[in-house]
Amino acid sequence: MSSLRTASPRLRNYFKENYIPQICEALLCGLLVTCPEDPLRYLERMIMAIIENGLESLHWDMCIDPLMKQNVRILSETCLEQLFGLDDQLTTPELMIKACTFYTGHLVKTYFRTWKEITMPHINVEDTLAEKMEKAIIYCDSKLKKFLFHQWYSYTKNQKAKFQGAILRIQKIFQDHRQRNFIAKWRDIVRIRNKIREEELILKHESELKNWKKRLKMKTSEEFSKSMEFDISQLPENAVLQIFSYLGLRDVIICGQVNHSWMVMIQITKLWNAINFSTVKNTVTDKYVVSTLQKWRLNVLCLNFRGCLLRPKTLKYVSHCRNLQELNVSDCSTLTDEAMRHISEGCHGVLYLNLSNTSITNKTMRLLPKHFHNLQNLSLAYCRKFTDKGLQYLNLGNGCHKLIYLDLSGCTQISVQGFRNIANSCSKVMHLTINDMPTLTDNCVKALVEKCQSITSVVFIGSPHISDCAFKALSTCDLRKIRFEGNKRITDACFKFIDKNYPNINHIYMVDCKGLTDGSLKSLSPLKQLTVLNLANCVRIGDVGLRQFLDGPSSIRIRELNLSNCMQLGDASIVKLSERCRNLNYLSLRNCEQLTDQGIEYIVNIFSLVSLDLSGTVISNEVKR
């Protein structure tokens, strides 16, 4: 039992409570110092002395003869506590080393601090006070801000709670009123149905009685059957005209073959003001076209030959229609410059002319300003055989200065000079359409708008080289409608000054423009006339931009909103949309995957909604109605 450090607590407490280490220490010291001849007798005698004096007065040198005691300074109460392992390691060598180290370090720090205070110059008292004052001011300001912020936060929280409570009360009142209206209407309908049912029973009874009486009178029944006959030819001319206006050319011809009265009805002159041969383009013959034009040449106002494969000689008979105002010969591969020469010489009052996808050349372009002085609508889409010089011809003579609508889609042969020629010839153009023009650049647009500042509507679909510069060049025009699609060079910069340069714009169509972000919607928010906004496939648009847009005045007048494939939109946008867009008629949220049932429930608050597209979303069938 050399050490009791690992012994049980009970044994250790026993040694301490009975002063076993002190007794052993006193006896051992006595043996070591006196060295008696009979140790056992000595130990017996000393033990009896310890018993007589008591354990409380026990000392380590109690068993030593007073003459043999030495003056030794007491280090601890007993040295055998360490021998028996009862000192709890309070004076181990490691602890002594740590204590000396700590004491030495403490002395070094104390001396170094004293030396530092003596050697370093004293800091200016005023600077110290100023620094303390500055810190005090900062602390006071921060404390005041925190106090004000807490006051503001509690105020806004209370206001929000009041607002939510008011909304809930209004919704409850509205639902109650709506239910009362439904119940009242249901009661009225039930009363009306009951009344009608009673009247029907009475009428049925009376009719059965009359039928029983009329069985005896065959002549009366025959007169009654004759009165039920109906002849459509007896209708007024306006009614007949409205009925036959819903039929195509082929159906009208078939109706004329029913009988003589029907043939007379289809001879109404107003019925032949507009003839559409494109509906029978696969079956119509040149002979029938010629006979029809000769018969109704003075009444025809509109002719449509789209996609018809007629001989050039047949198309020349269009020149007999002196009062013609609209002519559509698009997709007519047989149309030639010679046929257009005959048509232009005979039809001077044409207002609408569609020459798209035909093989006309500069010869036809020379004829347009010479004969069509009142031309307002011209389509040259996909006509690739005329050149920039042909566009210069539009300014000859009286020119086509009344032109309002111009379509140059797919005319890839036009250069910058060609657009300058258009600007000089058609300075009053208001609606410009240029689709499928991969060669169209910003310089072309700049050249066009130098003099055509009356443009109110532009369409650039399939023109990937158009950038923000072209959009800024159009700022000189009073744009009302703009359409871009599939353009990656258009960015938020094009909308930076939109509220100042385009205050009257009401239709924006920017589909598949990957460069547009939330900044674009923020720039559109000040617009007061905007009614149609289409941003489909603009994948970088999210909740932040849409909320900023809805905070502006444009959300009040918006009628149509298309946000298809804007996958960053969430429920927060729908909540804001239901609060602001009270006049919205058409809404598309197709493929907006972050929308949930909770957000879709707010759409029911838009009572003006006519069409809604939610295909491709993750909503379930459990949405409240």
Side-chain angles (χ1 to χ4, degrees):
M1 192 184 296
S2 62
S3 176
L4 294 177
R5 299 184 189 278
T6 59
S8 63
R10 180 173 173 275
L11 182 59
R12 291 167 60 87
N13 291 333
Y14 175 78
F15 269 69
K16 287 183 178 181
E17 290 175 357
N18 294 287
Y19 297 88
I20 302 299
Q22 289 84 349
I23 294 171
C24 294
E25 182 182 23
L27 294 175
L28 184 60
C29 290
L31 290 172
L32 292 174
V33 175
T34 58
C35 296
E37 295 179 357
D38 191 357
L40 296 177
R41 294 289 183 182
Y42 176 78
L43 292 174
E44 182 182 1
R45 185 162 42 86
M46 290 296 107
I47 290 172
M48 294 301 294
I50 293 171
I51 293 173
E52 291 176 358
N53 295 327
L55 295 175
E56 289 78 11
S57 61
L58 182 62
H59 199 262
W60 68 277
D61 59 347
M62 181 178 179
C63 298
I64 301 174
D65 188 27
L67 298 176
M68 300 178 69
K69 289 184 180 180
Q70 297 180 359
N71 297 326
V72 180
R73 185 169 60 88
I74 299 174
L75 296 177
S76 61
E77 294 181 0
T78 175
C79 295
L80 290 184
E81 286 185 357
Q82 183 176 0
L83 180 63
F84 283 96
L86 300 175
D87 57 343
D88 294 332
Q89 298 181 356
L90 294 176
T91 57
T92 59
E94 292 82 3
L95 294 177
M96 291 297 293
I97 293 172
K98 290 183 179 179
C100 292
T101 304
F102 173 78
Y103 182 72
T104 305
H106 179 69
L107 290 177
V108 172
K109 289 181 181 179
T110 303
Y111 294 154
F112 179 78
R113 191 179 298 111
T114 305
W115 170 80
K116 184 177 178 181
E117 291 176 356
I118 294 173
T119 56
M120 290 182 64
H122 294 283
I123 302 173
N124 193 353
V125 179
E126 295 180 358
D127 295 338
T128 305
L129 293 176
E131 184 178 358
K132 290 181 179 180
M133 183 60 69
E134 184 178 358
K135 291 181 179 179
I137 292 172
I138 294 173
Y139 174 77
C140 183
D141 291 340
S142 63
K143 193 172 182 180
L144 181 61
K145 289 179 180 178
K146 287 181 181 179
F147 174 76
L148 295 176
F149 176 78
H150 287 301
Q151 293 291 331
W152 171 83
Y153 178 78
S154 60
Y155 173 77
T156 54
K157 190 175 181 180
N158 294 333
Q159 292 296 323
K160 189 175 181 180
K162 291 180 181 179
F163 182 73
Q164 293 293 335
I167 291 177
L168 292 176
R169 289 193 294 273
I170 292 172
Q171 289 179 350
K172 186 178 180 181
I173 294 171
F174 175 76
Q175 293 295 336
D176 295 339
H177 181 70
R178 192 176 181 181
Q179 290 177 359
R180 284 195 289 269
N181 290 338
F182 286 163
I183 293 172
K185 290 182 180 179
W186 173 77
R187 288 177 179 174
D188 294 337
I189 292 172
V190 171
R191 291 173 182 173
I192 293 171
R193 287 182 179 177
N194 292 333
K195 187 176 181 180
I196 292 173
R197 190 179 300 168
E198 293 176 357
E199 292 176 357
E200 287 178 353
L201 291 174
I202 295 172
L203 291 175
K204 184 177 180 181
H205 178 72
E206 292 178 356
S207 63
E208 289 178 353
L209 182 62
K210 289 180 180 179
N211 290 332
W212 179 76
K213 291 180 179 180
K214 289 181 180 179
R215 288 174 185 174
L216 302 176
K217 299 179 181 180
M218 296 299 296
K219 186 176 180 180
T220 306
S221 63
E222 290 177 358
E223 293 177 356
F224 178 78
S225 62
K226 288 181 180 180
S227 63
M228 294 299 295
E229 295 179 357
F230 177 73
D231 187 4
I232 191 174
S233 62
Q234 301 299 323
L235 292 174
E237 182 177 330
N238 293 333
V240 174
L241 179 62
Q242 188 172 2
I243 293 172
F244 281 98
S245 63
Y246 291 101
L247 303 178
L249 181 61
R250 182 177 180 179
D251 297 331
V252 172
I253 295 171
I254 294 173
C255 292
Q257 298 174 356
V258 174
N259 51 39
H260 184 268
S261 61
W262 282 61
M263 185 182 67
V264 173
M265 283 189 294
I266 67 169
Q267 301 300 319
I268 299 175
T269 56
K270 293 183 180 180
L271 188 63
W272 297 93
N273 286 342
I275 304 176
N276 188 0
F277 289 105
S278 63
T279 57
V280 291
K281 59 184 178 181
N282 297 324
T283 57
V284 69
T285 61
D286 294 84
K287 184 177 180 180
Y288 177 77
V289 173
V290 172
S291 62
T292 303
L293 293 178
Q294 288 180 343
K295 184 176 182 180
W296 303 104
R297 62 184 182 275
L298 298 178
N299 303 100
V300 174
L301 300 177
C302 303
L303 280 177
N304 189 349
F305 290 101
R306 182 179 182 180
C308 296
L309 299 176
L310 303 175
R311 293 183 300 174
K313 186 177 180 180
T314 304
L315 294 174
K316 292 180 181 179
Y317 282 91
V318 178
S319 61
H320 296 289
C321 303
R322 303 292 181 178
N323 298 321
L324 188 64
Q325 295 181 2
E326 298 183 11
L327 177 61
N328 187 348
V329 288
S330 60
D331 299 326
C332 291
S333 57
T334 57
L335 181 67
T336 61
D337 294 330
E338 185 66 19
M340 279 302 303
R341 184 179 65 82
H342 288 281
I343 293 173
S344 61
E345 290 177 353
C347 307
H348 297 285
V350 173
L351 301 176
Y352 171 89
L353 181 60
N354 192 340
L355 300 174
S356 59
N357 200 16
T358 57
S359 56
I360 62 169
T361 63
N362 291 341
K363 294 181 180 179
T364 300
M365 301 296 290
R366 186 188 290 269
L367 297 172
L368 296 180
K370 186 177 180 181
H371 299 284
F372 298 139
H373 305 303
N374 298 319
L375 189 63
Q376 297 180 2
N377 192 315
L378 176 62
S379 178
L380 299 173
Y382 304 99
C383 296
R384 296 189 173 93
K385 291 190 176 181
F386 69 88
T387 62
D388 295 340
K389 189 175 182 180
L391 295 172
Q392 189 177 2
Y393 292 152
L394 296 177
N395 200 25
L396 297 177
N398 293 328
C400 296
H401 298 300
K402 294 183 179 181
L403 202 61
I404 297 175
Y405 178 88
L406 180 61
D407 189 353
L408 297 173
S409 302
C411 298
T412 56
Q413 76 278 10
I414 302 177
S415 64
V416 178
Q417 183 60 39
F419 282 99
R420 288 196 180 96
N421 296 336
I422 296 174
N424 294 327
S425 307
C426 312
S427 58
K428 294 184 179 181
V429 171
M430 299 177 64
H431 306 281
L432 180 64
T433 301
I434 307 177
N435 298 331
D436 296 331
M437 281 281 285
T439 58
L440 189 67
T441 61
D442 297 336
N443 293 329
C444 297
V445 179
K446 292 178 181 178
L448 183 64
V449 300
E450 285 180 357
K451 294 186 178 180
C452 294
Q453 298 182 0
S454 59
I455 296 177
T456 60
S457 173
V458 294
V459 180
F460 296 124
I461 299 177
S463 301
H465 298 294
I466 296 296
S467 66
D468 298 336
C469 297
F471 196 92
K472 293 179 181 178
L474 291 169
S475 61
T476 57
C477 307
D478 187 16
L479 285 183
R480 306 294 178 85
K481 178 179 179 181
I482 187 166
R483 290 169 63 94
F484 282 86
E485 183 174 350
N487 195 308
K488 297 181 180 179
R489 299 185 64 187
I490 294 294
T491 62
D492 297 336
C494 65
F495 294 118
K496 189 174 182 181
F497 305 103
I498 191 168
D499 57 331
K500 297 180 180 179
N501 298 324
Y502 309 103
N504 298 320
I505 194 167
N506 54 34
H507 187 122
I508 296 179
Y509 182 95
M510 306 290 284
V511 175
D512 198 18
C513 295
K514 300 295 191 301
L516 299 182
T517 63
D518 293 337
S520 300
L521 287 174
K522 183 178 180 181
S523 302
L524 295 178
S525 60
L527 298 177
K528 297 181 180 179
Q529 305 296 329
L530 188 63
T531 57
V532 178
L533 179 61
N534 192 332
L535 297 175
N537 298 330
C538 296
V539 296
R540 299 178 64 184
I541 290 177
D543 290 334
V544 177
L546 186 57
R547 286 200 300 267
Q548 291 175 346
F549 169 75
L550 296 176
D551 288 334
S554 57
S555 60
I556 301 175
R557 298 178 60 89
I558 195 75
R559 297 287 187 277
E560 181 178 345
L561 183 61
N562 191 339
L563 298 172
S564 302
N565 295 316
C566 296
M567 293 179 287
Q568 296 184 12
L569 294 179
D571 295 337
S573 301
I574 306 304
V575 175
K576 192 72 173 181
L577 190 70
S578 63
E579 294 175 355
R580 298 286 297 173
C581 301
R582 295 299 181 183
N583 297 316
L584 189 64
N585 300 138
Y586 300 93
L587 176 62
S588 178
L589 298 171
R590 186 173 68 252
N591 296 330
C592 295
E593 299 176 353
Q594 296 188 16
L595 297 180
T596 62
D597 296 347
Q598 186 177 3
I600 298 302
E601 291 177 0
Y602 287 90
I603 295 181
V604 299
N605 297 326
I606 309 177
F607 301 106
S608 61
L609 207 60
V610 176
S611 175
L612 176 63
D613 188 357
L614 296 174
S615 58
T617 58
V618 294
I619 62 172
S620 63
N621 295 329
E622 298 179 359
V623 178
K624 296 180 181 179
R625 295 180 179 177

